[in-house]
C-alpha cells in the first residue's frame, strides 16, 4: 500500500479545500456586487463590536437556555478544530496521534475534554431538534421556513450527531486497540465518554477492529470536509460571516437612517444655488434612487443576507408580523440572499457577466405590501444576534417605490403633498402653528 | 392659566436670545390631543422661568415622515430649510416633545449641516430637577399604578429608557413594566409613516396588541412620551372601552399636574 492512503488523503484535502475556496470567492464576488458602504471608520470600535457580538455572542443572552446550548456547540466546534489539526497531519504524514508523545499528559487531558464536549454537543443538538420539531417553537414554523430552510436546519443537526458519534466511536475502537497493544496504536488519550461505547466493539478480532477504527477516522474527516462545503448552501454560513458582519455593522444610533448625498447636492442647488457650488461633485450621478434589486443595495446589506441564521428572532418581535401582516424581516433577508444567489449563478453561467433575466428583488421576491407594513421600529435590528439590519433594505426599497415609481399608498401621497405645500403632514395652514397658545 | 410663549423672531426684535428653542412639532402644533401636551410642557417651562422660545410660523415639518415613507428628496428639502432658519437665529440647543423630531434633528440633521444639542423633553425635565429649578412631588399620583410605553424613536433608536422612568418615579407612583419594554418594547403602530395610512391586511391592529399589553399590567395610567404613541394608545383604550378607567398621559402632563400647573 505504501503511500497510497497519504496520497488519497492529500487529494481529499485539495479537492475539499479547493471547492470551499471557490465557493468563498463566489460569495465575495456576489457581496461586492453591492455599492460602497463607507464602513471603514472607527476601527477600534468595530473590533470591540465584533469581539462582543460575534465572539462573545452578547445578543444571544436574551434567550438564556438557547444561548447556553448554542455556546456549547460553538465552543465544541472551535475546540474540536484543534483535534482536526492533528487529524490532518496524521493523514498527510501517515502517523497516528502525532501530538501524543509531544504533549504527554496534556494530550490525555485534551482528548478527554473533547470527548466531554462531544457529549455536550450531542445533548444540545437533541435539545435543538426537539425544540424545532416537537415543541414547534413558532418562529421556526413561519411560512418562509417551508421546504429547504426547514430541511437545512435539520440536516445540520443530523450532521453534528453523525460527526460526534464518529469521533467517539473512533476513540472507542482506538482504546481497544491500545489495550491489545496493536502495532502503532500508542497508549494515549483518556476516554471518559467513549469508554461507554467500547462494549459494542469488544470481542472483535484485531483486524476487524483496525478496519473499524480506520473507517471511523476516514468517515470523520470526510464528514468534516463535506460539512465545510455544505456551509455555502446553508444558513450555517453565519459561523464564518458573523465575524465580518458584526465588524462592518452600523455603529450609529439605530434611529439614524442613511442620508443620500447625491440628493443633497440636488436639493442644495434648488434651495441655495450659491452654497451648492462648494458641495463636492459626485463622481457618477445616480442612475436610480433607492433599491429595486440587489445591485442597488450596499455590500454590507448583501453580506447581511449571507450572514442570516434564519433564527427568526427578528420576525418574532416584529409588530407587523405579530399582528398577521405579510412582512417578516427574516424573509426580507432570505429573499435578498436567494436573489443574490440567482444573480451569482447567472454570472457563473454567462462567463462573468450578468445577463438581464427580467427579474428583480422587488415584486419577484419582495412585494410592496410587505414593505409598506413596516413601522421602522427597529425591533428586528435590536433582536438580531449577528447585527443584521433588515430595516435598511426595507427603507431603500421604499425609496425606490416612491422616488422612481411614485408608487406610495394614496394616503402617504396626500401626507407628502401636505408637507410640500404647508410644511405639516396634515392640511393645516402654517400660519396657524401658534393657535394652541390661545386654546384651552 | 395663560402661558408665555415668545418666538425667536420677537426676541430677536428686542435684541434678546433664548437659551433653548422648544421645537413644538407638527403634532404638538395641530393635533388636539398633542396640543395639550405642548401646553403642559410650556407651563413647566414658564413655572421654572426657563429662557426659551419657539419658531412659531417659521417652524416646518422636520421631514421625518417623508423620509420614513421613502421620499428622501422631500425630507432633505424640509431639513435644509429648517437648518437655514435655525442657523439664521444662531440656535445651539433644542428641546422637543416629539421623539420623531428629536431623532431626526439629533441624528440626521448633522450630516446635512445642522449641528445642535438636541434634548427630548423627558431629558430636559430631568435636568431641570437636577438643577433644582423644578421640584416634583407625587401629589395626586402618589401610589398610583403607572406603566410606561417606550416610544421606538426615543427608546430603542436612541437608548433613552431611564429619563422618563425617573420622572415617573419622582411622582411616588408605582411604576409597572409591560411584558415587552425598553429594548424589547413593542411599537404602538404609528412609526415609519404608518400614522398617516391604513395598516396592511392582517389579523389585528398593532395599537390594540400594545394596548392589551398595557392593560395586562392593571395600571391606572399609561404614560407616554410621544404624541403619536399617545394617539395610538388612546384609540386602543377606546377600542377596549376602558377610557373611563385608564388614562393615557404624557410624562410632561403628569409632572405639570403634580405641580398643579
Ligand atoms: S422595523 Fe419594520 S421589519 Fe423591523 S421589526 Fe419593526 S416593523 Fe418589523
Ligand atoms: S436577520 Fe438576524 S434575527 Fe432575523 S433571522 Fe436572520 S439572523 Fe435571525
Amino acid at each position: 500500500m505504501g503511500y497510497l492512503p497519504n496520497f488519497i488523503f492529500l487529494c481529499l484535502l485539495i479537492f475539499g479545500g479547493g471547492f470551499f475556496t471557490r465557493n468563498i470567492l463566489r460569495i465575495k464576488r456576489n457581496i461586492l456586487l453591492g455599492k460602497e458602504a463607507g464602513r471603514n471608520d472607527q476601527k477600534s470600535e468595530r473590533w470591540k463590536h465584533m469581539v462582543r457580538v460575534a465572539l462573545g455572542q452578547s445578543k444571544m443572552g436574551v434567550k438564556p437556555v438557547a444561548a447556553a446550548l448554542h455556546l456549547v456547540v460553538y465552543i465544541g466546534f472551535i475546540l474540536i478544530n484543534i483535534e482536526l489539526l492533528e487529524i490532518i497531519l496524521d493523514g498527510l504524514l501517515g502517523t497516528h496521534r502525532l501530538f501524543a508523545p509531544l504533549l504527554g499528559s496534556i494530550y490525555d487531558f485534551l482528548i478527554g475534554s473533547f470527548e466531554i464536549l462531544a457529549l455536550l454537543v450531542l445533548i444540545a443538538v437533541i435539545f435543538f431538534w426537539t425544540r424545532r420539531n416537537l415543541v414547534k417553537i413558532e418562529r421556526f414554523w413561519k411560512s418562509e421556513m417551508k421546504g429547504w430552510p426547514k430541511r437545512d436546519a435539520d440536516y445540520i443537526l443530523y450532521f453534528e450527531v453523525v460527526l460526534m458519534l464518529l469521533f467517539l466511536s473512533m476513540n472507542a475502537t482506538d482504546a481497544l486497540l491500545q489495550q491489545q497493544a496493536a502495532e502503532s496504536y500508542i497508549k494515549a488519550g483518556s476516554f471518559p465518554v467513549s469508554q461507554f461505547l467500547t462494549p459494542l466493539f469488544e470481542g472483535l478480532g484485531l483486524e476487524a477492529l483496525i478496519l473499524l477504527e480506520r473507517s471511523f477516522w476516514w468517515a470523520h474527516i470526510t464528514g468534516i470536509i463535506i460539512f465545510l462545503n455544505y456551509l455555502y448552501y446553508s444558513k450555517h454560513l453565519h459561523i464564518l460571516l458573523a465575524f465580518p458582519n458584526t465588524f462592518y455593522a452600523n455603529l450609529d444610533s439605530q434611529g439614524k437612517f442613511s442620508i443620500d448625498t447625491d440628493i443633497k447636492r440636488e436639493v442644495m442647488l434648488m434651495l441655495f444655488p450659491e452654497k451648492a457650488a462648494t458641495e463636492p461633485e459626485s463622481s457618477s450621478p445616480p442612475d436610480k434612487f433607492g433599491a429595486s434589486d440587489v445591485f442597488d443595495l450596499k455590500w454590507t446589506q448583501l453580506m447581511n443576507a449571507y450572514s442570516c441564521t434564519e433564527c427568526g428572532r427578528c420576525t418574532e418581535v416584529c409588530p407587523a408580523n405579530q399582528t398577521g401582516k405579510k412582512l417578516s424581516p427574516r424573509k426580507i433577508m432570505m429573499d435578498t440572499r436567494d436573489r443574490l444567489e440567482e444573480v451569482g449563478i447567472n454570472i457563473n453561467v454567462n462567463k462573468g457577466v450578468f445577463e438581464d433575466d427580467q427579474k428583480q428583488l422587488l415584486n419577484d421576491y419582495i412585494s410592496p405590501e410587505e414593505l409598506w407594513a413596516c413601522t421602522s421600529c427597529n425591533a428586528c435590528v435590536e433582536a438580531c444576534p449577528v447585527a443584521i439590519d433588515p430595516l435598511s433594505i426595507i427603507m431603500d426599497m421604499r425609496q425606490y417605490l416612491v422616488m422612481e415609481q411614485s408608487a406610495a399608498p394614496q394616503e402617504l401621497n396626500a401626507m407628502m403633498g401636505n408637507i410640500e405645500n404647508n410644511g405639516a403632514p396634515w392640511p393645516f395652514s402654517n400660519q396657524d402653528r401658534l393657535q394652541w397658545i390661545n386654546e384651552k | 392659566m395663560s402661558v408665555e410663549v415668545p418666538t425667536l423672531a420677537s426676541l430677536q426684535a428686542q435684541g434678546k436670545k433664548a437659551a433653548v428653542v422648544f421645537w413644538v412639532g407638527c403634532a404638538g402644533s395641530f393635533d388636539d390631543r398633542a396640543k395639550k401636551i405642548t401646553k403642559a410642557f410650556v407651563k413647566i417651562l414658564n413655572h421654572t422661568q426657563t429662557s426659551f422660545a419657539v419658531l412659531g410660523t417659521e417652524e416646518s415639518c422636520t421631514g421625518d415622515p417623508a423620509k420614513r415613507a421613502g421620499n428622501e428628496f422631500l425630507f432633505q428639502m424640509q431639513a435644509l430649510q429648517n437648518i437655514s432658519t435655525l442657523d439664521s437665529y444662531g440656535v445651539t440647543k433644542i428641546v422637543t416633545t416629539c421623539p420623531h423630531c428629536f431623532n431626526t434633528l439629533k441624528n440626521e440633521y448633522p450630516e446635512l449641516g445642522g449641528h445642535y444639542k438636541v434634548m427630548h423633553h423627558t431629558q430636559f425635565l430631568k435636568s431641570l430637577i437636577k438643577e433644582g429649578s423644578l421640584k416634583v412631588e407625587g401629589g395626586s399620583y402618589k401610589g398610583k399604578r403607572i406603566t410606561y410605553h417606550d416610544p421606538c424613536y426615543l427608546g430603542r433608536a436612541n437608548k433613552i429608557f431611564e429619563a422618563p422612568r425617573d420622572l415617573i418615579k419622582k411622582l411616588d407612583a408605582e411604576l409597572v413594566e409591560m411584558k415587552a419594554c425598553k429594548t424589547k418594547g413593542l411599537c404602538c403602530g404609528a412609526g415609519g409613516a404608518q400614522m398617516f395610512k391604513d395598516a396592511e391586511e392582517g389579523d389585528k391592529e398593532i395599537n390594540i396588541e400594545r394596548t392589551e399589553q398595557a392593560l395586562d399590567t392593571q395600571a391606572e395610567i399609561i404614560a407616554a412620551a410621544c404624541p403619536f404613541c399617545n394617539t395610538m394608545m388612546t384609540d386602543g383604550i377606546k377600542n377596549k372601552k376602558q377610557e373611563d378607567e385608564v388614562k393615557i398621559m404624557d410624562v410632561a402632563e403628569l409632572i405639570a399636574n403634580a405641580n398643579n400647573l
Side-chain angles (χ1 to χ4, degrees), chain A residues 325 372 374 376 398 439, chain B residues 39 68 153 194 198 204:
Chain A
K325 277 86 180 176
W372 290 117
C374 173
S376 74
R398 273 192 184 181
E439 288 170 20
Chain B
K39 215 150 184 183
R68 314 295 141 179
Y153 278 87
Q194 297 295 342
D198 284 330
K204 202 174 191 180

Side-chain angles (χ1 to χ4, degrees), chain A residues 307-315 330 333 380 383-386 388 390:
Chain A
S307 312
C308 177
T309 73
E310 295 171 17
C311 69
R313 287 162 190 244
C314 52
T315 295
R330 167 172 57 190
M333 300 320 299
C380 51
C384 181
V386 289
I388 288 171

Side-chain angles (χ1 to χ4, degrees), chain B residues 85-123:
Chain B
T85 312
L86 289 164
D87 287 353
S88 73
Y89 287 109
V91 171
T92 55
K93 195 172 167 190
I94 301 175
V95 61
T96 175
T97 42
C98 174
H100 297 266
C101 296
F102 167 74
N103 176 69
T104 305
L105 291 166
K106 179 174 188 281
N107 294 320
E108 290 169 349
Y109 275 34
E111 231 174 284
L112 297 169
H115 301 274
Y116 318 102
K117 180 172 164 48
V118 187
M119 290 176 96
H120 184 249
H121 71 306
T122 54
Q123 294 176 300

Side-chain angles (χ1 to χ4, degrees), chain A residues 258-404:
Chain A
S258 65
I259 303 281
D260 194 311
T261 42
D262 292 322
I263 296 180
K264 182 178 170 195
R265 198 185 147 73
E266 276 192 40
V267 177
M268 288 290 274
L269 269 173
M270 282 183 65
L271 292 176
F272 315 104
E274 65 294 350
K275 270 198 244 162
T278 61
E279 287 286 307
E281 188 95 43
S282 74
S283 46
S284 56
D287 44 1
K288 179 173 178 182
F289 292 117
S292 66
D293 207 350
V294 286
F295 306 99
D296 312 321
L297 294 169
K298 298 192 177 94
W299 72 269
T300 43
Q301 292 170 311
L302 300 182
M303 179 164 64
N304 275 186
Y306 274 123
S307 312
C308 177
T309 73
E310 295 171 17
C311 69
R313 287 162 190 244
C314 52
T315 295
E316 188 181 38
V317 295
C318 173
N321 193 278
Q322 279 182 10
T323 53
K325 277 86 180 176
K326 269 210 188 116
L327 172 62
S328 159
R330 167 172 57 190
K331 176 177 174 292
I332 301 284
M333 300 320 299
M334 292 168 70
D335 284 345
T336 306
R337 178 171 176 173
D338 287 349
R339 171 60 184 157
L340 186 54
E341 264 306 293
E342 184 178 56
V343 166
I345 291 168
N346 181 313
I347 295 177
N348 298 341
V349 173
N350 295 305
K351 305 194 174 59
V353 276
F354 176 71
E355 297 269 332
D356 188 6
D357 59 358
Q358 302 295 318
K359 280 178 154 186
Q360 54 175 0
L361 185 58
L362 180 68
N363 296 325
D364 293 310
Y365 288 85
I366 299 173
S367 67
E369 181 181 342
E370 293 162 66
L371 298 172
W372 290 117
C374 173
T375 71
S376 74
C377 73
N378 261 306
C380 51
V381 181
E382 182 74 37
C384 181
V386 289
I388 288 171
D389 184 353
L391 174 55
S392 68
I393 297 181
I394 296 174
M395 283 298 143
D396 285 353
M397 293 183 77
R398 273 192 184 181
Q399 212 176 85
Y400 174 84
L401 283 173
V402 172
M403 298 188 63
E404 294 287 340

Side-chain angles (χ1 to χ4, degrees), chain A residues 108-292:
Chain A
D108 296 352
F109 171 75
L110 278 179
I111 297 293
S113 348
F114 293 160
E115 288 215 337
I116 291 171
L117 258 178
L119 178 68
L120 289 173
V121 168
L122 278 176
I123 294 171
V125 165
I126 291 169
F127 175 83
F128 284 146
W129 187 88
T130 312
R131 228 168 44 127
R132 240 172 224 280
N133 294 291
L134 300 182
V135 186
K136 298 205 176 189
I137 288 188
E138 212 190 321
R139 65 189 157 108
F140 299 136
W141 290 85
K142 296 259 173 189
S143 57
E144 68 266 24
M145 295 306 286
K146 293 216 173 76
W148 168 249
K150 166 80 177 66
R151 289 202 304 277
D152 175 29
D154 286 335
Y155 288 166
I156 216 87
L157 295 177
Y158 302 144
F159 233 117
E160 303 250 8
V161 172
V162 171
L163 284 180
M164 292 304 125
L165 288 179
L166 283 171
F167 172 71
L168 292 171
S169 313
M170 175 179 96
N171 279 353
T173 43
D174 195 292
L176 280 176
L177 286 162
Q178 290 182 26
Q179 277 170 26
Q180 301 188 14
E183 197 195 339
S184 83
Y185 285 90
I186 54 164
K187 284 220 177 317
S190 66
F191 306 103
V193 178
S194 63
Q195 58 173 325
F196 297 103
L197 292 177
T198 43
L200 290 176
F201 306 110
E202 257 157 20
L204 290 176
L206 195 64
E207 276 194 8
L209 264 182
I210 293 181
L211 186 69
L212 272 179
E213 192 277 335
R214 286 291 85 195
S215 308
F216 292 142
W217 188 92
W218 278 93
H220 180 240
I221 183 68
T222 312
I224 287 176
I225 289 172
I226 294 174
F227 179 90
L228 196 64
N229 280 294
Y230 175 75
L231 287 183
Y232 173 55
Y233 307 94
S234 160
K235 64 169 184 142
H236 282 77
L237 205 48
H238 77 268
I239 61 181
L240 304 175
L241 284 184
F243 293 90
N245 200 63
T246 45
F247 185 85
Y248 289 107
N250 173 30
L251 300 183
D252 271 327
S253 117
Q254 288 170 2
K256 179 182 175 188
F257 291 11
S258 65
I259 303 281
D260 194 311
T261 42
D262 292 322
I263 296 180
K264 182 178 170 195
R265 198 185 147 73
E266 276 192 40
V267 177
M268 288 290 274
L269 269 173
M270 282 183 65
L271 292 176
F272 315 104
E274 65 294 350
K275 270 198 244 162
T278 61
E279 287 286 307
E281 188 95 43
S282 74
S283 46
S284 56
D287 44 1
K288 179 173 178 182
F289 292 117
S292 66

Side-chain angles (χ1 to χ4, degrees), chain B:
Chain B
M1 191 173 113
S2 71
V3 287
E4 280 296 310
V5 189
T7 60
L8 274 175
S10 70
L11 286 187
Q12 195 178 49
Q14 303 162 33
K16 288 195 234 158
K17 277 195 165 241
V20 59
V21 167
F22 171 27
W23 186 276
V24 183
C26 299
S29 306
F30 296 120
D31 179 88
D32 284 334
R33 178 67 189 84
K35 282 193 264 190
K36 298 209 167 75
I37 303 170
T38 306
K39 215 150 184 183
F41 183 59
V42 164
K43 282 178 187 168
I44 302 173
L45 293 178
N46 283 166
H47 171 72
T48 53
Q49 296 179 345
T50 302
S51 152
F52 81 101
V54 298
L55 277 165
T57 54
E58 288 184 281
E59 189 183 297
S60 189
C61 175
T62 57
D64 162 83
K67 185 169 176 70
R68 314 295 141 179
N71 196 336
E72 179 73 9
F73 192 81
L74 179 55
F75 160 68
Q76 293 201 15
M77 288 286 280
Q78 289 298 115
L80 287 168
Q81 290 179 73
N82 281 325
I83 290 170
S84 152
T85 312
L86 289 164
D87 287 353
S88 73
Y89 287 109
V91 171
T92 55
K93 195 172 167 190
I94 301 175
V95 61
T96 175
T97 42
C98 174
H100 297 266
C101 296
F102 167 74
N103 176 69
T104 305
L105 291 166
K106 179 174 188 281
N107 294 320
E108 290 169 349
Y109 275 34
E111 231 174 284
L112 297 169
H115 301 274
Y116 318 102
K117 180 172 164 48
V118 187
M119 290 176 96
H120 184 249
H121 71 306
T122 54
Q123 294 176 300
F124 192 79
L125 290 174
K126 213 185 142 185
S127 71
L128 288 180
I129 293 176
K130 206 170 153 212
E131 280 166 18
S133 51
L134 178 64
K135 300 238 178 328
V136 179
E137 272 153 32
S140 52
Y141 297 115
K142 208 176 165 122
K144 277 227 158 62
R145 233 175 132 80
I146 302 182
T147 188
Y148 171 71
H149 164 80
D150 287 286
C152 302
Y153 278 87
L154 187 66
R156 239 186 327 268
N158 287 293
K159 302 286 176 280
I160 297 171
F161 300 112
E162 292 315 320
R165 286 182 168 78
D166 289 348
L167 292 171
I168 295 170
K169 284 182 205 148
K170 286 262 177 230
L171 298 168
D172 289 331
E174 182 194 354
L175 177 64
V176 281
E177 296 291 354
M178 291 182 237
K179 74 169 185 198
C181 64
K182 301 190 183 172
T183 53
K184 289 189 233 162
L186 179 69
C187 178
C188 70
Q194 297 295 342
M195 181 74 192
F196 306 99
K197 63 184 262 298
D198 284 330
E200 274 54 40
E201 203 181 295
D203 43 38
K204 202 174 191 180
E205 293 292 338
I206 296 172
N207 65 328
I208 303 297
E209 176 77 22
R210 186 54 166 169
T211 304
E212 285 169 3
Q213 291 186 0
L215 290 176
D216 282 345
T217 65
Q218 311 279 342
E220 297 155 84
I221 295 171
I222 302 171
C226 168
F228 296 102
C229 299
N230 197 309
T231 305
M232 296 309 262
M233 300 301 280
T234 305
D235 288 350
I237 290 290
K238 282 190 191 140
N239 179 285
K240 294 268 154 197
K241 306 221 176 346
Q242 293 286 314
E243 65 265 41
D244 294 328
E245 284 78 30
V246 182
K247 298 279 168 247
I248 320 289
M249 305 275 282
D250 191 274
V251 177
E253 294 178 302
L254 294 175
I255 301 283
N257 287 348
N259 278 291
N260 299 316
L261 296 176

